[in-house]
Amino acid sequence: MPTIKKKYKVWDTENYFIEAIIENLWWENIINEFFEQKITLIVNQIIENTKNKNLRNKISISILFTGDKKITQLNKKFKKINFPTNILSFPSGQNINTDNLLNNDDFVNFLGDIVISSDTLIKEANSEKKIPIDHLIHLFIHGILHLLGYDHENSCEAKVMETLEVKILKNLKISDPYIDNT
């Protein structure tokens, strides 16, 4: 994937602050007005469906939109796996009791970092006959849920996380990504 001079984007509303670094041309085409409009709907759906106390105050997330080379380096360094993946999530590990913040409306709860590979996303979307923007939205939801503590290390955890993802995607009018379309 051709690289570009890194671009920096910020999405800032009363519910979230998301900062992103965009590292290749494919992301330039897909992170357009449509995705930007969907971010608010996605975050609102996550807030509505998880009832997570970390979402009571404004949240902050950092995203790196990159390719397989960079995500492989990060996967190797942090997960000891030497191949690319579609998404990596790095929760901040903050366990802040927001009830003790004296209702400080300016408080922002940093959830963590997400890294998404365009190369793997495109390969998966093509092989699984998914619409790339829908797959991106699914991965974005998946990443935020990881930042909130959801996981899929065992079948019970996976069932909870996947059920929540499917529910949120359905509310966004995106089909179930776990149904085999091949």
Side-chain angles (χ1 to χ4, degrees), residues 3-155:
T3 58
I4 58 172
K5 185 177 179 182
K6 291 180 184 175
K7 288 199 168 189
Y8 183 74
K9 277 190 125 24
V10 171
W11 298 288
D12 190 6
T13 72
E14 66 182 42
N15 292 328
Y16 61 83
F17 177 82
I18 299 173
E19 57 184 340
I21 296 175
I22 303 167
E23 286 193 335
N24 67 39
L25 289 173
W26 186 80
W27 288 119
E28 277 291 290
N29 296 324
I30 201 154
I31 299 175
N32 54 26
E33 235 175 80
F34 179 78
F35 180 70
E36 291 178 356
Q37 291 169 356
K38 287 283 190 185
I39 290 174
T40 297
L41 295 173
I42 294 164
V43 172
N44 288 343
Q45 280 296 310
I46 291 169
I47 291 169
E48 209 172 286
N49 287 286
T50 63
K51 310 287 191 239
N52 187 298
K53 70 176 185 174
N54 289 325
L55 300 175
R56 280 192 256 158
N57 290 86
K58 186 172 185 171
I59 61 168
S60 174
I61 299 168
S62 167
I63 306 174
L64 174 60
F65 293 102
T66 192
D68 276 356
K69 183 178 178 183
K70 181 67 170 186
I71 210 163
T72 299
Q73 292 169 346
L74 294 169
N75 210 15
K76 184 177 180 181
K77 181 175 181 174
F78 294 103
K79 307 280 185 178
K80 309 297 184 232
I81 301 169
N82 192 20
F83 57 83
T85 186
N86 53 19
I87 187 166
L88 290 170
S89 301
F90 301 96
S92 70
Q94 291 183 356
N95 291 316
I96 298 169
N97 182 350
T98 56
D99 295 334
N100 294 331
L101 295 172
L102 302 174
N103 297 323
N104 183 351
D105 292 334
D106 296 330
F107 175 74
V108 177
N109 189 5
F110 179 64
L111 298 182
D113 303 298
I114 296 172
V115 182
I116 305 175
S117 171
S118 59
D119 302 313
T120 299
L121 185 149
I122 293 166
K123 286 179 215 165
E124 290 174 349
N126 288 338
S127 72
E128 298 168 16
K129 297 180 177 38
K130 294 179 181 174
I131 300 167
I133 188 72
D134 289 354
H135 192 40
L136 170 60
I137 290 168
H138 173 224
L139 293 178
F140 183 63
I141 292 166
H142 186 87
I144 293 174
L145 291 178
H146 272 306
L147 297 181
L148 292 171
Y150 290 86
D151 216 332
H152 45 84
E153 291 297 315
N154 61 52
S155 61

